[in-house]
Amino acid sequence: MQIITDVKEMREIVEGIKQSGQSIGFVPTMGYLHFGHLALITAARKQNNMVAASIFVNPAQFGPEEDFERYPRDVEADSIKAKSAGVDLLFCPKIEDIYGAGYATYVETEGLSEQLCGKSRPGHFRGVCTVVLKLFNIVQPKRAYFGQKDAQQFIILKRMTLDLNLDIEMICLPIVREADGLAMSSRNIYLTEQERRKATVLNCSLNEAKQLYDAGERNAQALLEVVEKKLLKVKEGRLDYAELVDLTHLLPITKIDKPALLALAMYFGQTRLIDNVILQ
């Protein structure tokens, strides 16, 4: 596995790969890799000649009061995990190479970015789209891999690739969970032991709604009431949102007559966790 920190060097390596006719599968990450990331790498390994992954904690997607400075970082451990999972190229660019002096260009997907997480994290998805487009331009993948835990992010990025005519196949893989059902996230490390136990309510509430849906319930409000009732019982948590939206525009729906996203976000202490289920 090669570890590349220089943008120009990465471009040169990619050019050689492209000229040889090989495909690149790409997994963009902010590091502190867990089994969710490794599942994406494994899928990329099976479907491409070469696998590239990036580690870049993107300052543009953090708000002024968010956790950019303390976001967990361990590039050495990440390198070992990435290599064992089958990464060929690990791209770890420097902030000044991604956002140089006088940087002033950003990418936005209007409408989608203002829904769900966008309401409490204004500007977040502008930062996500900007850095992912830059990484796409550098790595030039045939396929890019993301996890369903960040469903809104995937829907937004897929819209971006369509709107900007990027020839990249966007692939979303199921959520990888801990044994107790908590969705794997780099931010789980922030949780106290008690918060960690309580956080399992996220998946439990989604499961209850899914069971009701499978039993024939199609009224969105009825499903949301099941979720909110369970979440609001947790005194250690603070609900940010629970919404049932369509998969195209991420707008709230009243009745489920086609695949829909039941998504939620909740704070445990200072840690904000997200989870979701697709009802179809």
Side-chain angles (χ1 to χ4, degrees):
M1 183 182 77
Q2 291 179 263
I3 300 177
I4 304 100
T5 60
D6 183 72
V7 172
K8 182 180 179 180
E9 181 184 0
M10 187 68 185
R11 286 188 184 279
E12 291 173 350
I13 293 171
V14 165
E15 181 63 24
I17 293 171
K18 302 281 280 188
Q19 286 184 357
S20 68
Q22 298 183 86
S23 64
I24 299 174
F26 181 43
V27 181
T29 84
M30 291 207 301
Y32 216 71
L33 303 183
H34 51 66
F35 284 112
H37 297 116
L38 301 184
L40 302 180
I41 293 169
T42 299
R45 179 75 277 161
K46 292 178 180 178
Q47 298 176 346
N48 303 275
N49 303 117
M50 301 288 287
V51 176
S54 63
I55 295 176
F56 182 70
V57 182
N58 176 31
Q61 69 189 67
F62 288 80
E65 303 299 323
E66 294 185 340
D67 58 341
F68 174 70
E69 293 298 336
R70 71 186 185 105
Y71 192 85
R73 297 164 170 86
D74 193 341
V75 176
E76 184 176 349
D78 287 345
S79 300
I80 295 171
K81 292 175 183 177
K83 182 177 180 180
S84 65
V87 171
D88 299 298
L89 304 170
L90 185 61
F91 182 44
C92 305
K94 298 180 285 294
I95 289 178
E96 57 266 29
D97 289 338
I98 298 297
Y99 301 109
Y103 191 88
T105 303
Y106 294 89
V107 181
E108 293 193 63
T109 51
E110 295 182 352
L112 293 175
S113 295
E114 288 74 52
Q115 307 305 318
L116 302 176
C117 289
K119 295 176 183 178
S120 55
R121 303 188 70 188
H124 169 70
F125 291 111
R126 182 180 84 150
V128 171
C129 288
T130 299
V131 78
V132 170
L133 180 59
K134 289 173 72 68
L135 291 170
F136 280 175
N137 283 335
I138 296 166
V139 178
Q140 298 181 47
K142 177 64 176 177
R143 302 175 183 88
Y145 298 79
F146 301 85
Q148 185 192 312
K149 182 178 74 69
D150 299 294
Q152 181 179 14
Q153 172 180 280
F154 179 76
I155 290 168
I156 287 172
L157 291 174
K158 189 171 183 179
R159 179 78 260 168
M160 179 187 78
T161 63
L162 290 171
D163 290 350
L164 299 182
N165 302 107
L166 304 180
D167 186 19
I168 300 172
E169 182 181 351
M170 299 287 284
I171 298 172
C172 185
L173 296 183
I175 297 171
V176 177
R177 299 184 179 277
E178 303 283 0
D180 60 6
L182 182 66
M184 289 191 175
S185 169
S186 300
R187 287 189 168 95
N188 289 348
I189 194 175
Y190 296 156
L191 300 171
T192 65
E193 186 176 338
Q194 182 179 22
E195 290 168 349
R196 175 66 180 74
R197 289 196 303 270
K198 296 296 183 179
T200 59
V201 72
L202 300 176
N203 187 45
C204 290
S205 68
L206 292 172
N207 283 338
E208 286 196 12
K210 177 68 162 55
Q211 290 170 10
L212 190 60
Y213 173 82
D214 290 341
E217 181 62 71
R218 294 295 181 268
N219 182 277
Q221 187 57 40
L223 295 171
L224 288 172
E225 285 177 0
V226 168
V227 171
E228 292 175 352
K229 182 178 179 180
K230 195 167 189 70
L231 295 178
L232 293 175
K233 285 182 179 179
V234 180
K235 295 179 180 179
E236 293 81 0
R238 176 168 59 88
L239 182 61
D240 183 1
Y241 70 79
E243 292 194 41
L244 227 169
V245 300
D246 73 275
L247 287 172
T248 303
H249 305 291
L250 298 177
L251 294 174
I253 58 176
T254 57
K255 184 179 180 180
I256 305 174
D257 53 11
K258 55 186 175 181
L261 176 70
L262 176 53
L264 52 87
M266 191 167 186
Y267 287 91
F268 295 88
Q270 298 300 311
T271 305
R272 183 177 182 275
L273 300 180
I274 59 174
D275 206 341
N276 67 76
V277 64
I278 294 176
L279 302 177
Q280 58 185 350

